[in-house]
Amino acid sequence: MNAMLLKLKEAGLKLTPQRMAIVREIADDLTHPTAQELFERLRPAFPTMSFATVYNTLDSLSRLGLVASLRLGGAKDGATTRFDPNTTPHHHAVCDACGKVVDLPAAHPTPASHKNEIEMTSGFNVRVEERTYRGLCAGCSKEKSLI
Amino acid sequence: MNAMLLKLKEAGLKLTPQRMAIVREIADDLTHPTAQELFERLRPAFPTMSFATVYNTLDSLSRLGLVASLRLGGAKDGATTRFDPNTTPHHHAVCDACGKVVDLPAAHPTPASHKNEIEMTSGFNVRVEERTYRGLCAGCSKEKSLI
DNA sequence: TTAGCTGCAAATAGTTTGCAGTTTT
DNA sequence: AAAACTGCAAACTATTTGCAGCTAA
């Protein structure tokens, strides 16, 4: 069985058809879909499923650490939450033009000295660092250069 | 005259009392206020001023590059836009507990090699890098340790 | 004078919640 | 049977927009 489903079960949560469908839909999706997008993909198979169910399930998954929820802001849809099954530490690149989000390996972790310096200066106890690179994705860069 | 007001005027925008008050309110405020907060501070002096005016003015200011608008997410209020008169490149630390936001000097710019590597791997044309450090601010760390 | 602004109210977008009835375990 | 879940609708939060009247330049 899918690892996410197994974890849901272990956590005492019920494996309803809706949940199994949502998990199947997001488990290998690296495009950072929104709740809206998932809902629309599932609608054909579950015409009666509600948004609340999609949000509830995504909330359970993110509570269990099985998906990450991101608010990457930028452009108009800055308020939209995106979901990412990749829960290992990594950064994101967001396209200013089309809103596309891609994962970047966390190849350059913040040096301890830097984190320490931030803690010294700000008094913060830093837990995580989030980096977002904004610019134009390959496709949109090409379009722009043709204008 | 205040530099922001001067720039507004240069851009052909009118210096209404409401705008001057909003500019005065945000110009030296390093606490990253929300539109809501600014609105409430101004209400005593301008009981009839509407939210739309606050948003319109902040939008003009950010369009002219006089303030930065941030969506730092985290906690519940992830959708809230915050405004920062500091438009020089810098990073932010956000408190997980109280939501406080502080500026951090951009003391460690991304090395060109790293940016280049990201552009190679992702195909993106990177314009800016945003870093957000999440954790507990000094005050909230202390509280937690007392529990 | 007139382009642009203000205030009000209503519209949007994304997300959350209350609750009666249903389903997994 | 019990605890949890679903669907529906309504509530909420943050932000935007349409428009009639007002005002800075």
Side-chain angles (χ1 to χ4, degrees):
Chain A
M1 195 198 294
N2 178 307
M4 281 195 190
L5 291 178
L6 207 66
K7 288 259 181 68
L8 276 178
K9 196 171 191 176
E10 277 171 15
L13 299 177
K14 293 182 178 173
L15 299 187
T16 64
Q18 293 89 335
R19 284 189 172 172
M20 295 195 278
I22 292 168
V23 166
R24 200 184 318 124
E25 197 64 40
I26 203 176
D28 303 305
D29 184 334
L30 297 177
T31 68
H32 310 75
T34 63
Q36 180 80 247
E37 284 162 3
L38 291 168
F39 175 70
E40 279 165 15
R41 285 192 223 154
L42 295 165
R43 192 153 47 176
F46 296 81
T48 70
M49 185 163 56
S50 73
F51 260 112
T53 299
V54 178
Y55 276 110
N56 285 338
T57 300
L58 291 170
D59 191 58
S60 301
L61 291 172
S62 95
R63 201 177 294 280
L64 291 171
L66 302 176
V67 303
S69 72
L70 312 167
R71 285 206 159 146
L72 295 169
K76 304 128 213 299
D77 69 336
T80 313
T81 305
R82 294 178 166 280
F83 298 89
D84 187 351
N86 177 358
T87 57
T88 62
H90 65 282
H91 303 309
H92 295 100
V94 183
C95 179
D96 290 330
C98 70
K100 185 167 127 180
V101 178
V102 310
D103 284 348
L104 300 171
H108 300 264
T110 309
S113 63
H114 183 192
K115 191 182 151 189
N116 193 43
E117 187 185 322
I118 286 170
E119 300 197 319
M120 284 295 129
T121 339
S122 65
F124 267 66
N125 200 328
V126 175
R127 180 178 49 84
V128 290
E129 179 197 351
E130 285 172 14
R131 288 196 208 177
T132 304
Y133 296 87
R134 301 189 184 283
L136 293 176
C137 72
C140 292
S141 298
K142 201 175 293 176
E143 259 180 54
K144 277 251 171 146
S145 69
L146 295 178
I147 297 173
Chain B
M1 194 199 297
N2 177 306
M4 281 194 190
L5 291 178
L6 207 65
K7 289 262 181 66
L8 276 178
K9 196 172 190 179
E10 277 171 16
L13 299 177
K14 293 182 180 173
L15 300 187
T16 64
Q18 293 89 336
R19 282 189 173 170
M20 295 195 280
I22 293 169
V23 165
R24 200 183 317 123
E25 198 62 42
I26 200 175
D28 303 305
D29 183 336
L30 297 176
T31 68
H32 310 75
T34 63
Q36 180 81 246
E37 284 162 4
L38 292 168
F39 174 70
E40 278 165 15
R41 285 192 224 155
L42 295 164
R43 193 153 45 178
F46 296 82
T48 69
M49 187 164 56
S50 73
F51 258 114
T53 297
V54 178
Y55 276 111
N56 285 337
T57 300
L58 291 170
D59 191 57
S60 301
L61 291 172
S62 97
R63 200 177 293 282
L64 291 172
L66 303 176
V67 304
S69 73
L70 311 168
R71 285 210 157 138
L72 296 168
K76 303 117 220 302
D77 70 334
T80 313
T81 303
R82 293 177 167 282
F83 299 88
D84 186 351
N86 178 358
T87 56
T88 61
H90 64 280
H91 303 309
H92 295 100
V94 182
C95 180
D96 290 331
C98 69
K100 184 168 126 178
V101 178
V102 310
D103 284 349
L104 300 171
H108 299 266
T110 310
S113 63
H114 183 190
K115 191 182 152 191
N116 193 43
E117 185 185 324
I118 286 170
E119 299 198 318
M120 285 293 128
T121 339
S122 65
F124 266 67
N125 200 328
V126 176
R127 181 178 49 84
V128 291
E129 178 196 351
E130 284 171 17
R131 289 196 209 176
T132 304
Y133 297 86
R134 300 188 184 285
L136 294 176
C137 72
C140 292
S141 298
K142 201 176 293 174
E143 260 181 54
K144 277 254 168 137
S145 69
L146 296 176
I147 298 174

